[in-house]
Amino acid sequence: MAKVILKAQDLDGYLSPSDKATLEGMNHTFSRALELFTVLSDPGQARKYDSAKADLISLFNDIGRAMQDIVAREDRIHVYSFSTPREIHGEVSRLIAKLRDERTEHPEFVYYIQRAYELLFNFAFGSAAPERNHFIVRTPVTLPVQNFAVHKIPDVDTRIESSVMCVMLRGALLPAMIMSKEIQEYSSHGYVTPFALFKISRDDTKEERNMEYVLDLDRSYFNPSELDGKDLFFADPMNATGGSLVTVVKYLLEQGVKPRSIKFFNSISVLKGALRIVRALAAAEIYTLWMDPVLNTKAYILPGLGDAGDRINGRDDGSRPRNIIQLIADYGTQIVSLYREQVRRIEHTVLGA
């Protein structure tokens, strides 16, 4: 089989000594949070609960300010909760809280993922578009005559109508469909993105320090010539290590693909993964609703939200993982109907029909 492998050591090679010192400091600070988590989760320490809770709130405020200062120096990392007016932060904070909550079950989790990517689209494109497109809509009201309504939306045609949605991981399929639907709705021409599908996985028997990212070309569906000169959009609910994105993009660049732009959209991104990406890929920009501080030894985001792919798609039988078409079928008729144009494009990419 044709495979491309990227090692964690190669990823860390893109980080500067200053980056590594920053990340080490964040790990040290977050170790205090782990101590407080132990108190909060131990019924035997109930007398310490209130003080631990107050300490945790204060600590997370400090961590948030530190990450905001770090990101302020990075013009290609855009964090919703750092870049938008404080008055609208409550909506995103509550949304991320619902995604994190272990009690949030599958239907509600999918609902909040949909909301997250609607917000991410507007964060990346809507707020910075001074021009407006006008839409005239025919309404069901016919008395005294047929009625129409005029609506204005941001004119983002030039920024979205050469885009290709690039899907890397199982958990990224639905977010990519949502983002493509937003592009279609905001395009004055009803542009439906093509899809490029990459089969990439990481070896979860390894730890973050020696992780390997494996791109399986035999089980991927894309044409490099159709990506050249395009705006490549990647959507993934979580940006943990950044390894999957760097593996895919580095391979495309080696094949002579010259993207016009590369944008990565996440509900949550970890600081280390974000820094690795912008250091490794000169053209990449990251748009995320929320930034978390650290990774654990297994390369999971802390505090994170668990395995986003499983929470969106449900768990696979380990010996028989579902393919893209099976995943779409399992989304059910409501999702398939809502994203029918996107489903057709994906089926065409996979089946060639």
Side-chain angles (χ1 to χ4, degrees):
M1 292 188 292
K3 294 184 177 180
V4 177
I5 300 175
L6 178 72
K7 298 179 182 293
Q9 299 96 309
D10 299 322
L11 272 175
D12 283 338
Y14 293 110
L15 296 172
S16 69
S18 176
D19 292 333
K20 293 176 181 179
T22 295
L23 295 169
E24 182 60 32
M26 191 60 67
N27 283 326
H28 177 74
T29 301
F30 196 77
S31 66
R32 173 57 180 153
L34 298 177
E35 295 171 3
L36 295 170
F37 294 165
T38 301
V39 175
L40 295 178
S41 59
D42 182 0
Q45 301 193 60
R47 289 183 300 174
K48 298 181 180 179
Y49 184 90
D50 287 341
S51 63
K53 181 178 176 181
D55 288 346
L56 187 65
I57 291 170
S58 176
L59 181 62
F60 265 69
N61 284 334
D62 291 343
I63 290 172
R65 283 190 291 268
M67 289 193 297
Q68 187 168 4
D69 290 342
I70 295 165
V71 170
R73 302 191 291 269
E74 306 294 335
D75 59 4
R76 290 184 288 123
I77 302 176
H78 312 281
V79 183
Y80 188 102
S81 53
F82 296 165
S83 304
T84 55
R86 181 180 295 272
E87 292 76 15
I88 64 174
H89 290 179
E91 178 182 16
V92 166
S93 188
R94 185 57 182 154
L95 187 157
I96 297 297
K98 293 294 289 186
L99 289 174
R100 292 194 198 277
D101 196 328
E102 62 183 359
R103 297 169 298 180
T104 300
E105 297 183 353
H106 176 258
E108 194 176 15
F109 193 88
V110 170
Y111 165 73
Y112 282 109
I113 285 292
Q114 289 175 295
R115 283 187 59 189
Y117 276 88
E118 291 167 1
L119 286 170
L120 277 168
F121 179 89
N122 281 296
F123 177 44
F125 300 108
S127 60
E131 302 298 325
R132 293 291 183 266
N133 277 330
H134 291 81
F135 282 76
I136 298 178
V137 181
R138 186 187 185 103
T139 82
V141 179
T142 58
L143 290 177
V145 295
Q146 174 64 59
N147 274 238
F148 296 84
V150 177
H151 290 273
K152 293 183 287 186
I153 65 170
D155 180 0
V156 293
D157 286 352
T158 59
R159 301 176 63 195
I160 62 174
E161 290 189 350
S162 70
S163 60
V164 178
M165 285 306 310
C166 301
V167 183
M168 297 186 298
L169 304 168
R170 287 169 12 93
L173 178 60
L174 183 58
M177 291 166 62
I178 298 166
M179 184 63 71
S180 176
K181 179 72 170 180
E182 288 297 292
I183 290 169
Q184 180 184 2
E185 294 300 320
Y186 275 82
S187 163
S188 62
H189 307 101
Y191 175 74
V192 179
T193 65
F195 281 78
L197 308 172
F198 301 92
K199 175 63 175 177
I200 188 164
S201 59
R202 68 187 201 186
D203 185 349
D204 285 333
T205 66
K206 296 180 178 293
E207 296 192 342
E208 198 273 330
R209 61 182 174 81
N210 61 1
M211 189 72 68
E212 292 183 347
Y213 305 86
V214 182
L215 172 59
D216 186 342
L217 297 174
D218 292 334
R219 299 173 66 187
S220 298
Y221 302 90
F222 65 96
N223 184 337
S225 66
E226 295 175 356
L227 304 178
D228 193 39
K230 302 295 186 180
D231 298 304
L232 305 186
F233 294 171
F234 295 80
D236 191 343
M238 308 287 281
N239 170 24
T241 66
S244 295
L245 182 74
V246 173
T247 303
V248 169
V249 174
K250 285 290 187 182
Y251 173 77
L252 293 176
L253 296 176
E254 290 168 2
Q255 302 311 300
V257 175
K258 297 179 180 178
R260 189 173 81 160
S261 70
I262 301 166
K263 291 182 172 60
F264 194 27
F265 301 94
N266 320 114
S267 297
I268 297 175
S269 181
V270 78
L271 180 61
K272 185 175 187 178
L275 289 174
R276 278 170 158 176
I277 286 169
V278 296
R279 299 292 184 263
L281 304 173
E285 286 189 277
I286 297 170
Y287 292 87
T288 185
L289 291 182
W290 203 265
M291 180 158 281
D292 272 1
V294 299
L295 297 167
N296 66 14
T297 58
K298 300 298 290 183
Y300 271 72
I301 296 175
L302 301 181
L305 53 77
D307 191 316
D310 284 350
R311 296 187 73 181
I312 293 173
N313 299 318
R315 289 184 179 273
D316 269 336
D317 178 341
S319 62
R320 300 177 60 188
R322 291 163 291 173
N323 60 35
I324 290 289
I325 302 302
Q326 290 167 331
L327 283 178
I328 290 173
D330 284 351
Y331 287 152
T333 56
Q334 185 174 3
I335 292 292
V336 171
S337 177
L338 179 60
Y339 301 105
R340 58 185 178 275
E341 297 295 336
Q342 285 68 39
V343 170
R344 290 188 186 122
R345 286 294 185 113
I346 292 168
E347 289 177 338
H348 176 76
T349 300
V350 174
L351 303 175

